[in-house]
Structures are given as C-alpha cells and as structure tokens.
Amino acid sequence: MHTVEIGQPYPLGATVDETGTNFALAVSREVEAVELCLVADDGTETRIPLEERHGTTWHAHVAGIGHGQRYGYRVHGPWDPARGLWHNPAKILVDPYARAFTGDYEWGQQHHSYDFDEPDRIDTSDNLGTSMLGVVVAEDFDWGDDAPPAVELTDTVIYETHVKGMTKLHPAVPEELRGTYAGMAHPEVVRHLTELGVTAVELMPVHQFVNDATLQEKGLSNYWGYNTLGFFAPHAAYASSSEVGGQVREFKQMVKDLHAAGLEVILDVVYNHTAEGNDKGPMLSLRGLDNAGYYHLVEGDERHYMDYTGTGNSVDLSSPKALQLVMDSLRYWVTEMHVDGFRFDLATTLTRVEGEQGPDMFSGFFDVVRQDPVLRTVKLIAEPWDVGWGGYQVGNFPGLWSEWNGMYRDTVRDFWRGEPGTLGEFATRLTGSADLYEGDGRGPGASVNFVTAHDGFTLRDLVSYNEKHNEANGEDNNDGEAHNRSWNCGVEGETDDPEVVTLRARQRRNFLATLLISQGVPMISHGDELGRTQGGNNNVYCQDNEISWIDWSAMDDSLVAFTRDLIALRRDHAVFRRRHHFDGRPAARDVEAPLPDIVWLEPDATAKTEDDWGAEARSIGFYLNGHMLTRGDEEGEEPYRDFYVLMNAWWEPVPYTLPGPTFPAEWEVVVDTSSHVAPDGTRPRVRAGDVLELPARSTVVLRQVPEGA
C-alpha cells in the first residue's frame, strides 16, 4: 500500500521530492473523480483515487514514488460530446505535464472513433500494453558551468536540422548513437557545425509526438514530428539510452555539449494543435481532461473543432488553462532544459480568439510573453501564418519577435529563376525587409531569411526540378506545394549534362551568397551546404528513411567550403549584420564628402533612378558603406571595409563599370559564384573605372582594398 497525503495543487505534473512524488492534474469543472494509475514494469496497474482538489486541480502526494515510475490517469465525468464533454474512465490518459513518456500507441478501434448517437456503446477496453504512459522524472543534472552562448540576434546564423536525419547516416557517429540526441552532440557533428560557422541549431520537433494511424497503415510514419502529445517531454525515440526516462538526461547533455561549442539550441515547437486530431481522432490526453478548456470548439456543435492548422484541431490560447500549459512548457524548456529560443509552428493560430474571427495580433499570449522575465530574454521566432482566415501575418508580429520571412524566400527564388518584375522587391528583401518590420520599430533581425527549409525542396532539388515528385508518400503526388518557384536549369531531375550540372552548381552558390549577405538572420536547411537531395520530394514529412536522411557520403566538399567562406565573410564584417535598417543618409567617416550607408548603382556606375527598376531589369549593383559609426550600429571590424555587390540573374553577361571618385579606388574579389578562388588564395583586384564583365547568372562581391595594401 502507498502512503497518500493531500499534496499540493502546484506545480502541475509529477514533482519528485525527498520522500516521494506530488501529482497534480488540471481537469474540467464537470469531472467527478480522478484516479492516478501507477503502472509496474509487468503492466500491473495500481489505482489511487485523488481525494483532494483545489479549484479544477486534483492532487495528492504519494510516498516512495520516484524517478522512472510509469503513470497515467483515469478521469470520471459525464460523456456528452454534444456539449464538448469526453470524460471516459475506460481510457488511461497521459499527463500533459509529464516530463517523459514510455511506450507507444498501436492504433486500433479502442483509440479511434466513438458512436456519438449511442453513448452506451462507448468502448470500455484499454490495453495498457499498447498505451503510452508518463514517466516520473527527477530533474537533477550536473550542468556544471553551462551558460547560454547568448549570440546577438543579428550575429546569428541558424542551421535548421532534424535530430534523426542529421546523424542517421553519419559514418563517424557510432551506430548505436545515430539518430539520437547523443548523436547530435557527437564531436564530429559538432565539428562540422562549428567549422561551417553557424551559431545555432534549430531542432525540428523534439516534444513527444505520436505516429498517425493513416500513415502507419501505409507503412509510413510521422518523420517530421508535427503531431505533439507532450509539451514537456523530449521525444523518447531520439534517445540512445534504454533507461526509462533517460531521454531527459540525454537531451540535457546534448544541450550542454552544444553550448560548450558555442552553439545555441532553438526548438521548433508545435503549440497550435495536438495529436488528438478532430472528433474522429484518438482520445489521449487533453480531450479527456478538459476538451473545451484546451481546444477551439465550433459554436453550437461542441464536439467539433475549429481547424486553423489543417490537422483537425487548434489549441485555444485565449483559454486560461491552455495559455498556462503553453507558458509553463516554454519556461520549463528554458529553465530546466537550458534551450535558447523557440520557433513557433503556425504561430498565427496562437493569436486566435473564440469563434471564426481573424487573428488577434494584440492577443493575451503576446502580453504574457512580453512581461515574462524568462521568455523575454530568449529568441522568439514565429512561423507567421496558418490555414485559417487572415492567417498570413508576415510582418505583423510584435516587438521581441522575429519571423520566418516567406516573402524573402519567394522573392529570392523568383529573382534567380529569371522572373520579370522582381528587382525592386528583391532589393527590399536583401536589405532587411524594412517595409515589413521598420514601422513598428523592429530592425533587420526581425527577418529570418531562408531560401529552403524542411518543408519543400532542398537547395539542390530547387535547381533540379520544376515539379514535385512525391509518389513515395502514397497520395498520388497530390500532397505538397505545387508552386515551388523552382527551375530545373533545362532538365528535370538528375543529369550528366555538363552544362546543366555547372549551371545548377552556380545557382546553388547564388542562393547561398544571397542568403548570407542579406540583412537579417540567415537560416540554412540542413544538408544544403552538402548538396543534399530528396529526389524531388518536397514533402518528406512521412519519409523516415534515406529519402530524408542526410547522405554524408555524397558530400560536395567545394560547396561546404564555399558556404563556410560566406559565413566567415558575414561574421568578419558587421556591414552584413546591421541592427538598424538602411536610411540612405551619409555614414560618418573622416572624409569631406561622406557616402551614404547604401548606394544603388547602374551598370554604368550612375545612381539608380525610379525608372531603372523596370520589369525587364534582372541585374543589380549596390555599394555598402562599412563605416557604420552612427545611429547605434556596430562600428565594423578593423580595418573598415566597404563592399560592392553585383548580382546578375540575366542569361547573358552584363558589363559593370566600377564607380569612381568618392568611392574606394581599389577592390578585391571575395565572392564569385561563377568560378573558384585561385588555389594559392590570391584574390583578383580591380580598380575604379575598370569594366567588370559580370557573368550570366552570377554573384560577385568586391571588398575595398585599404590604401597602401
């Protein structure tokens, strides 16, 4: 027999102390009784009634219970789906505050649909052998002298990656560690990241998620992990440890090791929906605890869900209980797991209020985050859209927030594939998207720039395919985005044609060069620097196999070196990492006629006018003043260097005359996407007045040569 005492209503979840564990669970007001279910290794279940409640929180302290104990809950209350009440004690529910999970769901009838018209037919079977259970976790861990790298936002270079896909095929990672948190922190993986020069890894979902029954029936799985069940628990399958609850310690060690290498850890978090899906989906946790307290429900039909996410349900952060769950989770990952920031999947959903109204960009969620002393110090990145009405909110998130800039992605792709009429917007995106962020006081760091991400083509496929090729997903190639703004350079798919191969390589370099010299925060999708392909599949969410895993044996060493050099150029020159938008005013410098912070130039070296941004213009040149001594920007590293950037998306060369007086007298070529730097490291030099033939579809970056150098 277990000694049970009253315990405390807070903190929610299972909290270990010197004598046992405090259990606290928040449920709906209609709940009549709650049973804590302690499950032994052999599946034997011990049920302990929770006799005490404080408001809607039921709680108890159980002596002798500690780390590794499996548990769940059975909740007694009315079954009335028409009123949004789904209480069914036949189902063992997982604690939404559980710090770890064990087991998995083998989907069957007992987890799926219910007969709403005949409630007496509610399935009362529950096989614990096929249930996922929470695990009691002791939070002790020796963090030593761990400290957040605290990289300035504008100095940040993000590497979006997948814990499993990053290391599953890595030859230097021991087989037993591949695809795990420990594998992610392996010295050879860390070495690649640090030598590349990125400052942060953005991990695709690592909150505990579950597989989709529909995918399982096809022999596929939810590889990406956007099907969250537990907002506090690291996904168990990514742990190399066989210890029950060992994934928590392994995750912490990964963070500690990455921090030691100077790398921040950003989590891609999915608070917009859960794995329970629509009203035909499984009842796993929140639905059976307080359905109306956690989800947006359709007014007048309380068993159905508002679906702003395309997944069947949407979490309602206008509800105090749901808001508390999300805020508690965010603080936990910062304070206990030491992560450095979050990328919020479908973040517009987090702003939705009751009913079918549009998003509320002044919602309480933003207010709570803004005043939170923990969260206002970390990186907050929104995916600023969802699938509901008015869901596209790029540029509309408040201060403290950065955003995935979908306009940047689309414009850069269009420019380099030669679309007419893109030059003006391309210039705006290159310079930090002031049209989107400057109005509310945000700087270029609000724009997270990307050309590719997990969702869509890889960089190699972007220049190799005009059409998606998702046949392996089992949906007759109907899934995934059909409008990719891609260009295959003349041949669909892989080819040995030397001209096409050369052009594709140049285009990849053009995209990387554009990304890394643009103002804002660049994000690289994992493996793009290696030349990774998914065979034209632009929606590998269900491909947990060689289609989606990084093939390290096919590494493009020259592309890796090119990417590394670009990141180093960005790191060494603050002119590419401005904290304030350009304003066209002179930058202070010790000359009689100071030049502006940026100057747009025509091929003949004259200043651009409004008439020069026409539909057929497909090349651009701009001067960047390296002497940023005014309006709070960094001074730039010594020696101060000016830059002249030339980009040509035209299919023929364009001659550019280098500007004369008041501009630097001599330049050196530091980036040329049409050729490689000489093996001896020498850099070609050109002088004011020279004519530089800018090759077709190429980027050239010139750096000022100091006088006398």
Side-chain angles (χ1 to χ4, degrees):
M1 294 292 293
H2 296 283
T3 301
V4 181
E5 298 177 338
I6 292 175
Q8 299 295 324
Y10 194 80
L12 294 171
T15 306
V16 179
D17 58 28
E18 296 82 359
T19 61
T21 299
N22 189 82
F23 294 90
L25 181 72
V27 295
S28 75
R29 295 185 181 278
E30 289 81 2
V31 166
E32 300 156 359
V34 175
E35 293 175 299
L36 168 67
C37 307
L38 302 178
V39 181
D41 292 347
D42 63 0
T44 304
E45 179 186 2
T46 300
R47 302 186 186 183
I48 299 175
L50 302 187
E51 305 290 352
E52 194 71 20
R53 69 174 177 178
H54 184 87
T56 60
T57 300
W58 297 64
H59 52 92
H61 183 277
V62 184
I65 298 300
H67 181 85
Q69 173 65 57
R70 299 171 172 87
Y71 74 103
Y73 290 99
R74 296 187 186 273
V75 175
H76 300 254
W79 170 267
D80 191 353
R83 292 198 299 128
L85 302 175
W86 291 63
H87 304 305
N88 180 5
K91 301 301 173 188
I92 189 165
L93 304 176
V94 297
D95 181 0
Y97 280 76
R99 282 6 184 204
F101 288 83
T102 185
D104 202 351
Y105 285 107
E106 296 179 10
W107 300 115
Q109 184 62 35
Q110 72 270 24
H111 290 293
H112 277 280
S113 59
Y114 301 91
D115 191 327
F116 297 104
D117 298 325
E118 299 183 56
D120 291 341
R121 293 183 58 189
I122 298 171
D123 177 27
T124 58
S125 66
D126 197 5
N127 182 355
L128 288 179
T130 62
S131 289
M132 187 174 285
L133 298 167
V135 177
V136 175
V137 174
E139 297 289 354
D140 59 304
F141 179 77
D142 182 10
W143 283 103
D145 58 358
D146 178 73
V151 179
E152 286 284 343
L153 188 60
T154 49
D155 296 342
T156 299
V157 179
I158 297 173
Y159 190 87
E160 186 200 29
T161 189
H162 188 284
V163 169
K164 186 171 185 179
M166 181 72 174
T167 64
K168 186 62 178 175
L169 299 178
H170 199 298
V173 177
E175 189 170 351
E176 66 274 14
L177 300 183
R178 294 177 185 174
T180 70
Y181 304 119
M184 187 71 203
H186 187 274
E188 285 301 303
V189 177
V190 173
R191 182 183 64 79
H192 175 76
L193 295 170
T194 55
E195 289 185 357
L196 192 63
V198 299
T199 68
V201 291
E202 181 177 298
L203 302 179
M204 290 177 65
V206 295
H207 286 176
Q208 183 67 51
F209 61 87
V210 296
N211 204 357
D212 307 68
T214 54
L215 291 177
Q216 198 170 52
E217 291 165 1
K218 297 178 182 178
L220 302 170
S221 64
N222 193 316
Y223 168 66
W224 281 350
Y226 292 93
N227 203 36
T228 303
L229 178 61
F231 293 143
F232 291 78
H235 189 59
Y238 294 159
S240 63
S241 170
S242 60
E243 174 195 358
V244 175
Q247 59 265 42
V248 178
R249 183 175 297 275
E250 187 171 327
F251 183 92
K252 290 179 177 180
Q253 188 63 53
M254 176 195 70
V255 173
K256 183 178 179 181
D257 291 343
L258 291 172
H259 279 181
L263 294 167
E264 292 186 309
V265 178
I266 298 171
L267 301 188
D268 188 341
V269 288
V270 187
Y271 293 116
N272 57 77
H273 73 279
T274 77
E276 292 184 308
N278 61 22
D279 57 290
K280 302 300 184 192
M283 187 165 72
L284 308 175
S285 182
L286 301 182
R287 175 173 288 158
L289 298 175
D290 188 358
N291 190 47
Y294 286 109
Y295 294 117
H296 283 284
L297 301 180
V298 176
E299 186 176 351
D301 190 350
E302 296 296 305
R303 87 184 197 207
H304 287 99
Y305 298 86
M306 291 297 297
D307 185 7
Y308 303 114
T309 65
T311 64
N313 67 56
S314 304
V315 175
D316 181 7
L317 264 66
S318 68
S319 164
K321 188 170 290 182
L323 181 60
Q324 179 185 355
L325 173 67
V326 170
M327 295 301 295
D328 286 349
S329 168
L330 289 169
R331 282 189 292 265
Y332 172 79
W333 286 96
V334 176
T335 59
E336 293 293 336
M337 308 297 264
H338 287 207
V339 304
D340 304 284
F342 305 93
R343 177 267 188 187
F344 293 79
D345 179 65
L346 298 181
T348 299
T349 297
L350 307 182
T351 75
R352 299 282 182 176
V353 295
E354 185 177 357
E356 299 186 32
Q357 304 174 47
D360 177 9
M361 303 314 290
F362 299 96
S363 70
F365 172 62
F366 292 136
D367 292 336
V368 173
V369 170
R370 184 181 297 109
Q371 62 79 38
D372 190 281
V374 173
L375 299 181
R376 67 188 180 200
T377 65
V378 302
K379 291 179 171 66
L380 303 171
I381 303 170
E383 182 184 38
W385 50 76
D386 66 14
V387 301
W389 179 83
Y392 194 74
Q393 291 293 322
V394 173
N396 291 332
F397 276 69
L400 290 183
W401 288 78
S402 298
E403 304 173 16
W404 270 27
N405 190 342
M407 292 186 182
Y408 178 95
R409 172 201 59 205
D410 295 347
T411 302
V412 170
R413 289 186 178 193
D414 278 346
F415 175 78
W416 282 114
R417 71 190 180 115
E419 284 294 293
T422 60
L423 191 66
E425 186 172 358
F426 181 67
T428 301
R429 303 298 157 235
L430 280 174
T431 52
S433 296
D435 61 325
L436 299 176
Y437 306 115
E438 189 175 30
D440 59 5
R442 286 187 289 170
S447 179
V448 175
N449 300 327
F450 64 104
V451 176
T452 61
H454 67 273
D455 189 1
F457 282 145
T458 67
L459 184 59
R460 178 168 176 165
D461 291 352
L462 184 66
V463 300
S464 303
Y465 294 90
N466 283 353
E467 309 294 337
K468 62 183 179 178
H469 296 268
N470 298 355
E471 290 79 8
N473 296 355
E475 299 182 42
D476 296 324
N477 204 33
N478 290 317
D479 63 301
E481 176 60 57
H483 183 44
N484 293 285
R485 292 181 162 89
S486 61
W487 178 47
N488 63 18
C489 298
V491 177
E492 185 73 358
E494 294 300 312
T495 180
D496 294 327
D497 185 316
E499 291 187 6
V500 174
V501 170
T502 298
L503 177 56
R504 287 176 177 178
R506 183 182 299 185
Q507 287 287 77
R508 290 200 296 271
R509 293 194 292 269
N510 284 330
F511 280 121
L512 287 168
T514 303
L515 177 65
L516 288 161
I517 66 172
S518 294
Q519 303 298 325
V521 180
M523 185 185 78
I524 299 170
S525 181
H526 72 182
D528 275 355
E529 80 284 8
L530 309 173
R532 184 174 78 93
T533 179
Q534 293 173 169
N537 191 319
N538 74 352
N539 190 32
V540 296
Y541 79 104
C542 58
Q543 298 296 331
D544 188 3
N545 50 49
E546 288 83 355
I547 294 176
S548 60
W549 301 338
I550 292 179
D551 181 3
W552 292 88
S553 68
M555 181 189 301
D556 183 337
D557 292 326
S558 66
L559 189 60
V560 173
F562 182 79
T563 309
R564 181 184 63 234
D565 291 346
L566 281 169
I567 294 175
L569 182 71
R570 181 183 184 87
R571 180 192 63 229
D572 293 342
H573 297 281
V575 71
F576 298 116
R577 301 181 277 105
R578 294 176 57 95
R579 292 188 289 114
H580 297 270
H581 292 287
F582 293 104
D583 58 22
R585 290 187 290 168
R589 59 190 299 185
D590 189 20
V591 295
E592 292 183 1
L595 286 163
D597 51 13
I598 188 169
V599 181
W600 303 97
L601 294 167
E602 279 289 279
D604 64 1
T606 60
K608 270 187 177 297
T609 66
E610 286 189 21
D611 295 336
D612 296 324
W613 299 91
E616 296 306 314
R618 289 184 175 86
S619 72
I620 195 167
F622 57 98
Y623 160 84
L624 296 175
N625 195 323
H627 298 69
M628 302 182 298
L629 305 181
T630 60
R631 296 176 292 284
D633 279 303
E634 297 292 339
E635 293 189 357
E637 288 70 7
E638 291 282 3
Y640 301 138
R641 300 290 186 91
D642 297 344
F643 285 83
Y644 190 31
V645 179
L646 304 171
M647 294 176 163
N648 180 21
W650 193 257
W651 45 87
E652 294 179 353
V654 176
Y656 268 83
T657 300
L658 301 184
T662 74
F663 290 91
E666 188 171 17
W667 305 90
E668 61 180 348
V669 177
V670 291
V671 176
D672 183 351
T673 62
S674 68
S675 63
H676 298 285
V677 175
D680 60 1
T682 59
R683 299 183 182 278
R685 291 189 176 187
V686 289
R687 297 187 60 82
D690 289 351
V691 176
L692 190 153
E693 187 87 348
L694 183 60
R697 297 191 174 97
S698 69
T699 300
V700 170
V701 179
L702 305 176
R703 180 171 59 191
Q704 172 193 8
V705 176
E707 291 184 16

